[in-house]
Structures are given as C-alpha cells and as structure tokens.
Amino acid sequence: MDQFATNRIFLETEAALCKKHPERVHQLELVRSIASLKAKARCYQLPTDVDRLAREAGIIAIRIVSLTTRGRLLREPGGYVVELDSKLSLNQRRFVIAHEISHLLVEKDLMLTTFGRPQRSKTRHYFVEKLCDFGAREILLPINSLRNEIAGLSPSLETVCKLSEEAHCSFELTAERICESPSIWDGCRFISWTTHKGRLLAVRTWPERGVDPEQIILKDEKNSVVMRALNTASVAKDWQELSYAGREQETVYLEAVASEEGYVLALRLFKQPPRKVVRPLK
C-alpha cells in the first residue's frame, strides 16, 4: 500500500471537515508534517518503519523497561529516548513509538527548553495527547492510503484484518481510522469488547457519538457471536440480538474477531428489517 496516495475527493472532504471541526486544521498540519518526515526517512510503503522514522525525528534510542504507563519520551544529551513498557504487545509498541514521534512534531520547540514533559494545563494536555494519538494512527495507517485501498469494497472484518496485518497495527486502530473519514463505510459501527470477571463488556464504539458502550448488552452472551469469536481464531458472523441499557432489543448482523491483545472487535453491519405482518383475508 502506497503511503502518499491522495485524490480530489479527499481534498473536498477535508475542506468540509475543517469547516465543521476547527480542530481538524491542527490534524491536517500534523498530517503534512508526518508526510514530510516520511519522505525524509524514505518510508514509502507499509508497514511504516517506525524505528527509521524515530531516528529521522531525533530519537536516538528505544528502551524496553518496566513502567506504570505505556511509554514516555525523555530528552537526553544527543537527542531523545523513548521508553516502552515491557508488557506491551508488538502492535502497541509501534503505536507508542508513533505517538512519541508525533509529540516531537507537535511540541519540539517547547521540548527543547526542558528535560521532562512540558508543563501544560489539563485542557492543553488533553488536546495534545488526543492530537498525538491521531498522529500515531496517521503514521501507521495513512487515511489517504486507506481510502484508496478500500474504495468500492463492502464493509467486512476480513478487510479490517487484512489492512491491520499489512500495516502492522491493531484491529481497533484500523476501525478508528475508517470511522475518522465519513465517506468510508457510512452507517457501520464498530464495537470493542473485553472480558471482565468472566463476562463480556463493551468498552468502546466507533463512531463514538451517541452510544455509551457500557449500556450495550448481548442476548444469550455465552452463545453470542462475540463469544464465538473469542473462542476461535477466525471471524464469526451471525444475526445477534442487542439491547441498549434495557431498552427495546434490536437484531443486527454482526461480524466479530478476537485480537492478540485479548479483546474482540465487532462490526455492526445492519439491522434486521422488520417482519411484515400478513393479515388473513376475510
């Protein structure tokens, strides 16, 4: 997959998004900085070589250590050092490295004045961390390339799995990337489940608006599509009854697959059409 694919539809879509969401302007600036860094590092194909990109950004070492956080960026004589928690999976390590590279692109001038993390207000901290998460996703799976890759394809978890494998990223990251562009797979919803005390618990949904994941309840959980996916190494597909915080149930077509990180990603495709009631002729 080409790292730098783009087209007229992408430019029109981004222009519309910037009008609705002013923060998108900062995201586009970061996208341009990432593209420039990739060009300098000669990262032209997926999976992105995050180690080479880190060196180009001024990171001189990546250490695997025991941390209470997923990772951190330190300034040392000669450059910057990224420390990663030893419990992270390979995909998680790649994401954290990409996140810290984004910090250097967003805050490098500020970081040159301190040996620790720059001091920020809570509001500024949330904004910067969210922006750097976006940057990490763009580094690992560029949205322009994603649009071109799945143009014309019907929504399916097989496609999500294939893209994730090619980009060396998690299923969740690919799902979030798809939902960050309104023109891709409109009407679909991704749901991420994990296990808690032997039960399935929905923890995130994409798009994130309008649904509290903790209120999503599976009917007949032990025999559900999500549980079948958790117990197998393949994509499970079937009709599934869901309810939202005890409200009226709906039957949806669900695809689900388990990840190496231990969660299950489900793709909610469409509702079952209501059955027509046929009244006997008098």
Side-chain angles (χ1 to χ4, degrees):
M1 191 192 308
D2 186 359
Q3 290 261 17
F4 302 106
T6 189
N7 54 43
R8 178 181 58 80
I9 295 176
F10 163 73
L11 297 175
E12 293 174 352
T13 301
E14 293 304 331
L17 283 173
C18 286
K19 291 180 180 179
K20 292 183 179 179
H21 308 287
E23 70 276 8
R24 188 66 179 169
V25 175
H26 299 284
Q27 293 177 347
L28 286 178
E29 290 175 355
L30 183 54
V31 167
R32 296 186 187 100
S33 297
I34 290 168
S36 176
L37 182 65
K38 284 183 174 181
K40 291 177 182 177
R42 304 182 66 82
C43 290
Y44 299 129
Q45 297 292 326
L46 294 182
T48 301
D49 189 337
V50 291
D51 291 338
R52 179 190 294 181
L53 209 61
R55 290 193 296 272
E56 187 65 39
I59 294 170
I60 58 175
I62 297 173
R63 301 173 186 149
I64 309 299
V65 297
S66 179
L67 295 173
T68 56
T69 59
R70 298 207 302 171
R72 61 188 180 187
L73 180 65
L74 304 173
R75 184 183 168 206
E76 294 188 358
Y80 298 90
V81 172
V82 172
E83 291 187 339
L84 305 173
D85 183 39
S86 57
K87 296 184 292 295
L88 297 181
S89 68
L90 179 59
N91 284 340
Q92 290 170 333
R93 291 178 184 179
R94 285 172 53 78
F95 181 86
V96 174
I97 293 170
H99 176 95
E100 302 302 350
I101 292 171
S102 297
H103 269 292
L104 286 175
L105 295 175
V106 171
E107 299 185 294
K108 189 163 188 177
D109 291 342
L110 184 59
M111 293 189 70
L112 286 172
T113 65
T114 177
F115 277 90
R117 278 284 199 210
Q119 297 299 311
R120 324 185 196 100
S121 66
K122 288 185 178 180
T123 302
R124 175 66 182 175
H125 176 80
Y126 175 79
F127 170 78
V128 170
E129 292 302 317
K130 187 175 180 181
L131 181 60
C132 290
D133 279 348
F134 170 85
R137 294 191 294 273
E138 177 65 22
I139 286 171
L140 297 176
L141 186 56
I143 195 67
N144 300 346
S145 303
L146 177 64
R147 284 195 184 99
N148 285 346
E149 192 73 10
I150 68 176
L153 296 179
S154 299
S156 73
L157 275 189
E158 281 93 347
T159 298
V160 173
C161 294
K162 179 182 177 182
L163 289 169
S164 302
E165 182 178 352
E166 185 175 354
H168 290 186
C169 67
S170 68
F171 299 153
E172 283 189 319
L173 186 146
T174 303
E176 191 162 2
R177 286 263 77 185
I178 289 171
C179 293
E180 282 176 330
S181 175
S183 61
I184 300 179
W185 292 2
D186 284 337
C188 294
R189 181 178 295 277
F190 292 92
I191 309 169
S192 179
W193 268 276
T194 188
T195 53
H196 179 68
K197 296 181 179 179
R199 298 292 305 276
L200 288 170
L201 178 66
V203 290
R204 284 195 72 182
T205 66
W206 301 272
E208 296 181 324
R209 298 179 298 277
V211 176
D212 179 359
E214 294 185 0
Q215 296 182 343
I216 301 175
I217 301 171
L218 292 164
K219 183 178 180 181
D220 192 12
E221 180 181 294
K222 291 184 178 179
N223 297 307
S224 66
V225 179
V226 177
M227 188 62 79
R228 294 210 310 268
L230 189 62
N231 294 329
T232 63
S234 59
V235 176
K237 309 176 185 180
D238 209 342
W239 292 98
Q240 175 69 52
E241 287 191 36
L242 297 175
S243 65
Y244 300 91
R247 294 181 299 192
E248 183 178 351
Q249 291 185 344
E250 64 178 19
T251 302
V252 299
Y253 193 75
L254 211 64
E255 296 184 356
V257 64
S259 76
E260 65 177 26
E261 285 87 6
Y263 62 84
V264 177
L265 180 68
L267 172 59
R268 174 189 178 280
L269 290 168
F270 42 78
K271 294 182 182 180
Q272 190 177 59
R275 295 179 180 179
K276 294 182 179 180
V277 178
V278 180
R279 302 184 184 277
L281 297 174
K282 293 184 179 180

